[in-house]
Structure formats: C-alpha cells, structure tokens
Amino acid sequence: MSSKNLSETIEKILSDEREVRAATAPYQAEFPYERDEEAQVTRREFCGFLAVTSTALFLGAAGFAGKAAYDSTKIEAFPPLKIEGAKDLQIGSALNFRYPTEIDTAILIRAADGNFYAFGQKCTHLSCPVYYAKESDRLECPCHEAGFDVKTGNVLYGPPPRPLDRIAVEMRDDGEVWATGRIAGGHES
Amino acid sequence: MNGENNKFKSSRGITAIFQAKLVLMVMINLAQLWILSAAVEAALARHYKELLPLVIASGVCWLISLSIIFWWKPVRRR
C-alpha cells in the first residue's frame, strides 16, 4: 500500500469516527458513555484475562503432550534398500548412503567387532552431519563437539538432547547389507 | 466522617486483595509458560516420560488459578 493510500485510509477512518461522534452527540447527555474510560481494564477484568490465559496454557501443554505421545505410538515402515558398497567395507571404516529417501543422509559403520551399524547422519542437536572417528571409535559432530556411541547411537557427551536416529540393517545370504527400517533416536525410552 | 473513613479502609482492603490475586495469577501464568516450553522441548527431544509430570503441573497451576478467581473472596470485617 502506498503512503497516499495509507493516508487516505486513515483519514476515512477518522472521518467515520467524527461522523459517529457528531451523530451520537445529542444522546451523550442522556446516556453518558466515555470511550476512554471503557478502554481501561480493571484488576478484576485483568484477572479474568489471566485465568483464560492459564486455561489456554494448560490446554496447550496437554494438547502438545498428547500429540507427542500419540505420534510416539506410530512407527513408520520404510521399504528395504540395498546399501551399495557395504559388502566390501573394511573393519573400522564407514560409508555414507541415503535412506529412506534421497534427502535423508545416513552413515554405515563397520565397527571393530565386525558388525554393521547405521544411523541417520543428522546430529540431533542442530542437524550438522556426524562422521565416524576411527581413532576413538565413535561418531562425532564437529559443530559443537558432540560424541555418540557407535553401537547404540546414544549421546556420550555434548549438547544433543537425544540419540541419533537408528537404521536397522541386516546382512543377507549374498553378503550384501540392507537397510530395513529407521527408528527415531530416543523413541524406545 | 467516621463512616467514610471505614468505607475508605474497607475499599483499600479489597483493592489490596485484588492486587494480591493479580500478582499470584501473573506468577502462575509465568510458571505455566515455563512448563509449556519445557513440555515442547521434552516432546521434541522424545523424552516422553517427562511429559506427564509437566502436564500435571500445568493442570495444578490451572486449578490454583481457578480457585483464586472463583473461591478466594474477601471476608467482610465484623
């Protein structure tokens, strides 16, 4: 809206107000009504507003908790996906893949015990990509110096509030490794 | 004159009570705001065990605020 239009609108509103006041002036003497006084809020009214706010805050907390609890009961099913290159992965090394969609980056680790472990690559703090630190045998986030257990995805140190999202993997008869599901970290607790 | 003084004193008492109610309500609202933010943070962090105590705490605050509004009435001096 241009400044001219804005000033025209303001002028129209003000002129309407003036017209209403002029039209109602004869009745003001019989039914005194002061808008300024009406605009004031008494303590009692303000207490009422606060009670309504209190109700809204309680319903908000209950509703949010209920929604979260309901969401926690739903486990999404994702189609299995063969992880290319996992067959030849050496012990103590990792590779990146995408699961369940092309925008969900994940990391597959072959730990010192020879087993495969896979996690979503987004740090649960601020979504920086985590990497596998071979020398310490854990997943680390370089942004805020967080560490995750390589077998469970649990937070070892740092600011993340919950474990990494875990990706279920299985080794099939031909030696290939398949991702078969994704479970949000902390979902089990 | 004496009656006016008593009326003035009585009015002052009621005003003070409403002022106290107002302050209590504001404090309860602040506590509930904090509880709501804690519930949101717990839910996003998937700490579901923390949600029920937070909702109960918010409910208790709500009941207290209702009791302040509906049941805390000033008692007239004899």
Side-chain angles (χ1 to χ4, degrees), chain A residues 43-44 46-48 50-51 53-55 57-58 60-62 64-65 68-69 72 161-162 184-187 189, chain B residues 15 18-19 21-22 25-26 29 32-33 36 40 43-49 51 55 58-59 61-62 65 69:
Chain A
R43 285 184 182 85
R44 196 182 292 233
F46 193 62
C47 274
L50 290 175
T53 310
S54 174
T55 308
L57 288 170
F58 169 56
F64 202 92
S72 73
R162 64 181 176 89
H187 191 93
S189 64
Chain B
T15 305
F18 273 101
Q19 185 74 27
K21 286 169 85 167
L22 188 69
M25 292 289 290
V26 168
N29 269 234
Q32 279 190 297
L33 201 59
L36 178 63
V40 170
L44 292 177
R46 297 174 197 278
H47 294 165
Y48 298 120
K49 286 176 186 172
L51 287 175
V55 172
S58 186
C61 287
W62 179 61
S65 69
I69 288 288

Side-chain angles (χ1 to χ4, degrees), chain A residues 12-33:
Chain A
K12 188 175 181 311
I13 291 166
L14 290 176
S15 66
D16 286 350
E17 178 76 12
R18 279 194 292 271
E19 282 169 16
V20 168
R21 286 192 179 231
T24 57
Y27 308 106
Q28 285 285 316
E30 292 178 31
F31 302 101
Y33 170 78

